């Protein structure tokens, strides 16, 4: 499929991804699927780590494992902190893999990034991944204050960020200074027009993929539940 407005290198990547096919995660192949994703991204991640001028630490916040990325120029007194959730459809992904996003994010924003290693479905379905984010947020509020705190995430992590703000509001907690969402997966019913139009065009996802991941995460709860699909919340 030719696209008129992308570079030749992007066209080559698109063609390679489309030719490789899309592996749909299932209960039977999930462990191998996760391992293959990590293996495919390790070289790029290690290169990003090698280039990074700062400190990367494995820490715990409220007994939740996190990866903390701090650029060299960050100020402990005034610097911003980003609570970040990785993507992967709630069934894959990790703080290791999303360093290709969060290392440049930390550098460009001159912000500390705290990547929450939330638990994955189907081993830990809704609401357990959300609860991990909710445990970390009050601790970061206390340490940095709402005016220095940002929530962010990509794909399922964008879902996490929106759900976390709804949780904070409902609990009467201060809201973060802002939220930054990258392709947030906020409607797990997958009924939007883009799911129809792009089903055979997107080289990385299709409807079978997102439907399978949604079902594993929801674990029998209706997909239009606002906790699962924040787009249906207020």
């Amino acid at each position: 499929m030719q696209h008129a407005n992308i570079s030749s290198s992007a066209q080559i990547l698109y063609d390679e991804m489309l030719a490789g096919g899309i592996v749909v995660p299932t209960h039977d192949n999930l462990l191998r699927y996760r391992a293959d994703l990590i293996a495919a991204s390790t070289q790029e991640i290690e290169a990003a780590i090698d280039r990074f001028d700062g400190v990367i630490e494995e820490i715990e916040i409220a007994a939740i494992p996190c990866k903390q990325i701090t650029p060299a120029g960050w100020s402990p007194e005034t610097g911003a902190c980003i609570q970040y959730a990785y993507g992967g459809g709630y069934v894959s992904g990790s703080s290791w893999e999303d360093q290709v996003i969060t290392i440049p994010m930390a550098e460009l924003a001159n912000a500390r990034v705290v990547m929450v290693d939330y638990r994955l479905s189907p081993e830990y379905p809704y609401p357990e991944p959300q609860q991990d984010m909710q445990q970390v947020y009050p601790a970061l509020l206390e340490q940095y204050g709402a005016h220095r705190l940002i929530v962010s995430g990509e794909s399922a992590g964008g879902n996490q960020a929106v759900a976390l703000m709804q949780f904070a509001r409902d609990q009467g907690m201060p809201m973060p200074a802002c939220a930054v969402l990258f392709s947030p997966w906020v409607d797990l019913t997958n009924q939007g027009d883009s799911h129809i139009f792009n089903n055979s065009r997107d080289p990385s996802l299709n409807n079978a993929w997102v439907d399978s991941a949604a079902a594993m995460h929801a674990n029998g709860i209706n997909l239009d539940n606002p906790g699962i699909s924040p787009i249906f919340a207020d």
Side-chain angles (χ1 to χ4, degrees):
M1 183 179 298
Q2 295 296 314
H3 297 272
N5 297 317
I6 66 174
S7 67
S8 58
S9 56
Q11 182 68 56
I12 291 169
L13 177 61
Y14 177 87
D15 292 340
E16 288 177 351
M17 292 177 68
L18 205 63
I22 297 173
V23 177
V24 176
T26 67
H27 286 86
D28 293 334
N29 71 2
L30 197 51
L31 294 181
R32 176 61 183 272
Y33 178 81
R34 292 170 180 166
D36 287 347
L37 289 177
I38 291 172
S41 58
T42 290
Q43 184 175 356
E44 185 179 3
I45 295 163
E46 290 177 343
I49 293 171
D50 289 342
R51 292 190 301 265
F52 179 56
D53 182 14
V55 178
I56 300 174
E57 306 167 277
E58 304 291 338
I59 64 172
E60 282 194 358
I61 300 176
I64 305 298
C66 300
K67 191 182 300 295
Q68 182 169 275
I69 301 174
T70 308
W74 182 79
S75 168
E77 291 77 27
T78 60
C81 177
I82 302 171
Q83 180 175 342
Y84 181 88
Y86 53 80
Y90 280 113
V91 299
S92 63
S94 67
S95 65
W96 166 257
E97 293 157 85
D98 260 24
Q99 286 179 105
V100 294
I101 296 174
T102 53
I103 287 175
M105 176 190 292
E107 292 176 317
L108 292 169
N110 192 25
R112 168 175 279 175
V113 179
V114 175
M115 305 176 71
V116 181
D117 253 319
Y118 63 85
R119 293 167 290 177
L120 295 177
S121 305
E123 298 93 331
Y124 302 98
Y126 173 81
E128 293 180 76
Q130 283 82 356
Q131 291 169 345
D132 293 343
M133 290 286 287
Q134 293 164 8
Q135 289 286 102
V136 172
Y137 184 73
L140 295 182
L141 272 178
E142 182 177 354
Q143 183 172 356
Y144 300 103
H147 67 290
R148 294 171 60 192
L149 187 57
I150 298 158
V151 298
S152 183
E154 57 102 0
S155 191
N159 179 307
Q160 284 271 44
V162 176
L164 179 60
M165 289 190 294
Q166 292 170 346
F167 170 80
R169 178 202 58 196
D170 293 345
Q171 296 297 312
M173 297 180 184
M175 298 293 281
C178 67
V180 181
L181 312 177
F182 300 94
S183 302
W185 189 30
V186 291
D187 181 6
L188 271 65
T189 68
N190 304 320
Q191 297 299 306
D193 290 345
S194 63
H195 288 279
I196 299 171
F197 181 74
N198 292 311
N199 191 37
S200 61
R201 299 164 62 90
D202 190 307
S204 60
L205 294 173
N206 59 20
N207 287 347
W209 198 105
V210 291
D211 288 343
S212 177
M216 283 191 275
H217 176 59
N219 196 32
I221 299 174
N222 287 342
L223 294 172
D224 60 1
N225 181 298
I228 292 173
S229 297
I231 199 170
F232 295 108
D234 181 354

